[in-house]
Amino acid sequence: QVQLVESGGGLVQPGGSLRLSCAASGIAFRLYVMGWYRQAPGTRRELVATITSGGSTNYADSVKGRFTISRDNAKNTVYLQINSVKLEDTAVYYCNAEKVSDYWGQGTQVTVSS
């Protein structure tokens, strides 16, 4: 059974930082492209960042320079370091694992508020 479990979300002030984690099980993690997506209320789910099995990364323009995606294949975990958060970063953040099949976590809420 495939499981992606996100953690690390919460309430953060503008300009602050937090780190999201996604622990995967039931898949050959090192072979998957891992990604983070987010969905704010009333909007469509959007790509935040992806990282390939080889470590190549891709970011949405809105987060470049502020977010960093990384992975630890030994721990089957992908991370999203979020710095200099903005109000518009408020959303539910979802972990994604993609190869032939596509898997999603349940999401973790990030709320940016002063």
Side-chain angles (χ1 to χ4, degrees):
Q1 181 181 358
V2 178
Q3 281 193 313
L4 301 177
V5 180
E6 301 99 335
S7 62
L11 177 64
V12 59
Q13 292 185 340
S17 299
L18 71 169
R19 188 174 81 156
L20 307 183
S21 300
C22 171
S25 60
I27 58 172
F29 178 83
R30 63 182 180 84
L31 300 180
Y32 278 70
V33 175
M34 299 300 299
W36 287 95
Y37 292 71
R38 67 186 181 186
Q39 187 169 18
T43 69
R44 299 180 66 176
R45 191 173 297 187
E46 63 175 4
L47 170 71
V48 174
T50 60
I51 184 166
T52 69
S53 56
S56 297
T57 58
N58 179 56
Y59 296 93
D61 288 343
S62 59
V63 308
K64 283 181 181 177
R66 300 189 298 120
F67 291 18
T68 302
I69 189 171
S70 62
R71 65 191 297 162
D72 186 336
N73 290 338
K75 295 183 178 179
N76 287 0
T77 301
V78 61
Y79 304 97
L80 186 69
Q81 178 67 41
I82 302 175
N83 296 328
S84 303
V85 294
K86 302 177 180 180
L87 293 174
E88 54 263 40
D89 294 323
T90 294
V92 178
Y93 285 70
Y94 296 92
C95 178
N96 172 263
E98 181 180 358
K99 189 171 175 293
V100 175
S101 299
D102 197 24
Y103 302 102
W104 293 91
Q106 292 300 305
T108 185
Q109 176 71 47
V110 172
T111 301
V112 183
S113 175
S114 56

